[in-house]
Amino acid sequence: MNYVSQIVFALILIAGIGYFAANIKRLVRNIRLGRDIDRTDRKAERWKIMTLVAFGQQKMVVRPIAGILHIIVYVGFIIINIEVIEIIIDGLFGTHRVLSAMGILYDFLIGSFEILALLVIVAVVLFWIRRNILKLKRFFFSEMKGWPKSDANIILYFEVILMVLFLTMNAADYSLQQLGSEHYHQAGAFPISQYLSNLITPLGESSLIIIERSAWWLHIVGILIFLNYLYYSKHLHILLAFPNTWFSDLNPQGQMNNMESVTNEVKLMMDPEADPYAMPDQDDDQETAKFGASDVSDLNWVQLMNAYSCTECGRCTSECPASRTGKKLSPRKIMMDTRDRLEEVGRNIDANKGVFKEDGKQLLDDYITREELWACTTCNACVEACPVNISPLSIIVDMRRYLVMEQSAAPMELNNMMTNIENNAAPWPYNQMDRLNWRNE
């Protein structure tokens, strides 16, 4: 009978990890649909940023309440799942608490796991209250209806259930240890579940074994389900926050990137020795095939990874001056729309055997409106506020660039300014010779 349970466990484990690997492969494929960009310079600085922002949660604690609660959930959930190593070994080889041979260290670990599990439950309950009872404004913008709203609560329920199953499993195990049941030898310290065991010990040995085994199976199966749920959830940032911060833009905030092809053309215009009739290099031709971005394939792969890394916390939108003054722009929606369009493109590729079939849609207009793009003040508040260094602004700027350079569809005020710069070398509609006339007044 033991072999049957071990075989079932192995099949479940293989299925769970296999499906997760397939999702990760799809995720990488989708991210690679973006244009290439080199973000491998200044490696020491990148490691420092990842350590402080992703590991150290540096930008989370700017808002202390949410930051501390998030650290508790983050640290607790990661550390508690170290016990999954033991569960996998026990499941595959039919052992029970195989790592208890570590002695006092094992007792310390199990005791620490239990305290963290209780703290995680408390933190998650407080998160649920903030979202569903206090109803913080940033959780209820227009883009947070339907699935995004449900997804946030599903994650909270998942985390509570997994922690309760962990404590229930330990409580039943502790009771069976006290009863001297076969295979349940003395192992571990149970500072929390020992009190829960008082409620279930009267049920008797056979019932306790059923409770312990049921909680054990549900706990590991729940972890595998949650692992595969990540791809479809905003909780994907658990995995992507680390590479996302490592590949951060290290340029000073506010510095816009220049298109290399345009820069080369300007240099050519400024060079008195250049041949104005010379043909551009083939590489330049390929680079200038499209100015800016109208769809996800026009963005670079870091921007696409940003979209998948978005936690939908809304800090960017709550700090955005355009959003705060009633404009249509929400930086969070920009990232969510980019991810939704990227997922749509990915499904298109899967349905057409690895080739994208034109669907008559694009990120611009079908997902993100021009009104949203032009509402942005390029102040960088959204970039500064993001806990994982996402840059909605870079996507906005690239899409604006497409509107201006490909469609000549800039607002009238901007067109007037650019015309004046072209004709008068200044934003104002005055001839250069008349620019200092004011001094005579």
Side-chain angles (χ1 to χ4, degrees):
M1 187 67 181
N2 287 336
Y3 289 114
V4 173
S5 65
Q6 289 169 237
I7 292 171
V8 171
F9 180 87
L11 292 174
I12 292 174
L13 186 65
I14 291 170
I17 295 177
Y19 190 66
F20 174 73
N23 281 336
I24 293 299
K25 183 179 179 181
R26 188 181 303 114
L27 172 69
V28 172
R29 189 275 313 275
N30 289 352
I31 291 174
R32 285 181 173 174
L33 294 175
R35 291 185 174 183
D36 191 30
I37 185 174
D38 184 14
R39 288 280 179 86
T40 58
D41 59 328
R42 298 153 68 180
K43 289 182 173 60
E45 188 173 351
R46 294 187 180 282
W47 284 112
K48 179 181 178 181
I49 289 174
M50 186 180 75
T51 301
L52 292 175
V53 177
F55 280 103
Q57 307 281 293
Q58 182 185 58
K59 297 177 77 172
M60 282 298 301
V61 295
V62 172
R63 301 187 183 190
I65 295 177
I68 293 172
L69 291 176
H70 188 274
I71 289 175
I72 290 172
V73 173
Y74 165 72
V75 173
F77 201 77
I78 296 299
I79 292 179
I80 291 168
N81 282 324
I82 293 176
E83 195 186 23
V84 173
I85 298 172
E86 181 180 57
I87 291 177
I88 291 174
I89 296 173
D90 286 344
L92 291 175
F93 297 98
T95 55
H96 184 72
R97 294 195 177 273
V98 67
L99 298 183
S100 60
M102 293 189 297
I104 192 171
L105 176 60
Y106 183 80
D107 295 344
F108 172 77
L109 288 174
I110 297 299
S112 301
F113 294 165
E114 289 212 345
I115 293 171
L116 285 171
L118 179 61
L119 291 175
V120 168
I121 291 173
V122 172
V124 168
V125 169
L126 292 175
F127 274 136
W128 188 90
I129 291 172
R130 293 172 78 242
R131 183 175 291 274
N132 297 283
I133 297 179
L134 299 179
K135 295 186 176 181
L136 299 188
K137 184 178 178 181
R138 62 190 169 100
F139 296 140
F140 290 90
F141 282 77
S142 59
E143 67 267 20
M144 296 304 293
K145 296 177 181 178
W147 170 249
K149 180 180 178 181
S150 300
D151 177 42
N153 283 322
I154 289 171
I155 291 167
L156 297 178
Y157 299 143
F158 244 123
E159 290 174 343
V160 167
I161 290 172
L162 290 176
M163 295 302 102
V164 169
L165 285 171
F166 171 72
L167 292 175
T168 302
M169 175 184 72
N170 282 355
D173 197 302
Y174 177 76
S175 295
L176 290 166
Q177 289 182 27
Q178 301 309 304
L179 294 174
S181 298
E182 187 179 2
H183 301 304
Y184 291 90
H185 57 278
Q186 295 289 327
F190 306 95
I192 307 300
S193 60
Q194 65 178 322
Y195 297 105
L196 298 177
S197 69
N198 295 331
L199 301 175
I200 59 176
T201 297
L203 296 176
E205 183 176 357
S206 59
S207 296
L208 288 172
I209 292 174
I210 292 173
I211 292 172
E212 191 275 334
R213 287 290 84 194
S214 298
W216 186 91
W217 277 99
L218 289 172
H219 183 64
I220 186 61
V221 171
I223 289 173
L224 291 173
I225 292 173
F226 185 74
L227 181 68
N228 284 286
Y229 179 70
L230 292 181
Y231 178 80
Y232 306 96
S233 163
K234 74 188 187 78
H235 237 47
L236 191 57
H237 72 272
I238 289 178
L239 304 177
L240 291 182
F242 303 100
N244 196 77
T245 50
W246 199 89
F247 290 110
S248 297
D249 186 356
L250 301 184
N251 292 321
Q253 287 191 11
Q255 178 178 322
M256 301 292 181
N257 67 305
N258 295 320
M259 293 186 68
E260 185 178 354
S261 58
V262 176
T263 302
N264 292 338
E265 191 170 331
V266 171
K267 289 179 179 178
L268 185 65
M269 293 169 59
M270 303 282 291
D271 184 359
E273 298 181 1
D275 181 0
Y277 301 103
M279 292 295 292
D281 294 336
Q282 184 64 28
D283 288 344
D284 286 345
D285 262 346
Q286 293 173 355
E287 176 70 22
T288 59
K290 190 172 189 178
F291 294 107
S294 63
D295 208 350
V296 290
S297 58
D298 304 321
L299 300 171
N300 65 59
W301 65 266
V302 174
Q303 291 170 317
L304 300 186
M305 183 171 65
N306 280 179
Y308 275 120
S309 304
C310 180
T311 69
E312 298 178 14
C313 65
R315 292 191 180 199
C316 53
T317 296
S318 67
E319 295 291 336
C320 174
S323 179
R324 290 171 71 96
T325 54
K327 302 294 192 301
K328 193 174 181 180
L329 174 65
S330 168
R332 172 174 56 190
K333 179 179 177 295
I334 298 294
M335 304 314 301
M336 293 170 67
D337 286 343
T338 302
R339 182 181 60 211
D340 290 346
R341 173 56 181 166
L342 184 54
E343 277 293 291
E344 184 178 50
V345 170
R347 289 192 296 270
N348 182 308
I349 293 173
D350 291 335
N352 292 285
K353 300 180 180 179
V355 179
F356 177 72
K357 184 177 180 180
E358 185 60 46
D359 59 359
K361 295 181 181 179
Q362 61 178 3
L363 185 60
L364 178 64
D365 294 330
D366 291 303
Y367 284 85
I368 299 173
T369 65
R370 302 177 185 214
E371 180 182 352
E372 292 173 80
L373 296 175
W374 292 116
C376 177
T377 65
T378 65
C379 68
N380 264 291
C382 57
V383 182
E384 178 65 27
C386 181
V388 291
N389 288 2
I390 291 170
S391 177
L393 178 59
S394 67
I395 295 177
I396 292 172
V397 169
D398 281 347
M399 295 184 74
R400 279 180 171 183
R401 181 173 282 159
Y402 172 82
L403 289 173
V404 173
M405 302 185 74
E406 290 277 347
Q407 294 192 340
S408 300
M412 181 181 65
E413 297 84 358
L414 186 57
N415 276 330
N416 289 340
M417 182 198 72
M418 290 188 291
T419 299
N420 290 331
I421 290 175
E422 183 178 1
N423 295 332
N424 305 319
W428 305 284
Y430 305 113
N431 186 286
Q432 295 184 51
M433 302 298 294
D434 298 330
R435 196 172 298 166
L436 287 177
N437 287 349
W438 60 272
R439 68 181 178 180
N440 299 322
E441 296 180 1

